[in-house]
């Protein structure tokens, strides 16, 4: 089980990313537009840098919804490999069966 503080930190980052996503997209569009002047693009770059660091989506971490485990997370289910196996073996996920060959 991951520390509660680390799981909560990631949840906080998710909220911040949602809050600033449109603003970041607009600024990135301005920065990449070659038809604008260099001064306008520089101003947009400075505004983007002044946004909170956690508003960037690359700072998010996929974590298991039940345990908070950061590695081995199946994004389709949002569960870590260990919990996915436990739940699948108990038959709670339809269509998932143990492989046998």
């Amino acid at each position: 089980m991951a520390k509660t503080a680390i799981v909560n930190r990631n949840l906080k980052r998710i909220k911040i990313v949602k809050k600033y996503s449109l603003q970041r997209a607009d600024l990135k569009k301005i920065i990449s537009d070659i038809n604008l002047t260099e001064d306008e693009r520089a101003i947009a770059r400075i505004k983007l840098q002044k946004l909170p660091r956690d508003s960037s989506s690359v700072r998010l971490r996929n974590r298991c919804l039940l345990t908070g485990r950061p590695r081995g997370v199946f994004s389709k289910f949002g569960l870590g490999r260990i919990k996915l196996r436990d739940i699948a073996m108990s038959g709670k996920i339809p269509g998932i069966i143990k492989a046998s060959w």
Side-chain angles (χ1 to χ4, degrees), residues 38-97:
E38 190 60 38
D39 293 336
E40 293 171 335
R41 292 168 64 191
I43 291 169
R45 208 173 296 119
I46 291 170
K47 286 181 182 178
L48 184 66
Q49 290 173 355
K50 288 188 178 182
L51 290 179
R53 198 179 260 187
D54 285 339
S55 67
S56 175
S57 62
V58 297
R59 291 178 64 92
L60 295 178
R61 178 79 176 164
N62 286 337
R63 291 188 170 269
C64 176
L65 296 175
L66 299 178
T67 62
R69 180 180 168 84
R71 296 181 177 207
V73 177
F74 287 77
S75 58
K76 182 176 182 180
F77 303 104
L79 298 172
R81 60 184 172 82
I82 300 164
K83 285 298 174 182
L84 178 68
R85 185 172 190 270
D86 289 343
I87 293 172
M89 294 304 258
S90 64
K92 294 180 182 174
I93 301 177
I96 302 291
I97 57 172

Side-chain angles (χ1 to χ4, degrees), residues 5-68:
I6 297 192
V7 173
N8 289 339
R9 184 189 311 155
N10 201 45
L11 294 174
K12 179 181 162 188
R13 284 180 180 160
I14 290 171
K15 290 178 187 175
I16 292 174
V17 166
K18 284 182 184 177
K19 181 179 177 182
Y20 289 100
S21 63
L22 292 176
Q23 193 174 358
R24 286 184 70 87
D26 292 341
L27 289 172
K28 285 186 175 188
K29 192 180 291 185
I30 292 171
I31 291 169
S32 64
D33 188 4
I34 58 173
N35 295 328
L36 295 175
T37 64
E38 190 60 38
D39 293 336
E40 293 171 335
R41 292 168 64 191
I43 291 169
R45 208 173 296 119
I46 291 170
K47 286 181 182 178
L48 184 66
Q49 290 173 355
K50 288 188 178 182
L51 290 179
R53 198 179 260 187
D54 285 339
S55 67
S56 175
S57 62
V58 297
R59 291 178 64 92
L60 295 178
R61 178 79 176 164
N62 286 337
R63 291 188 170 269
C64 176
L65 296 175
L66 299 178
T67 62

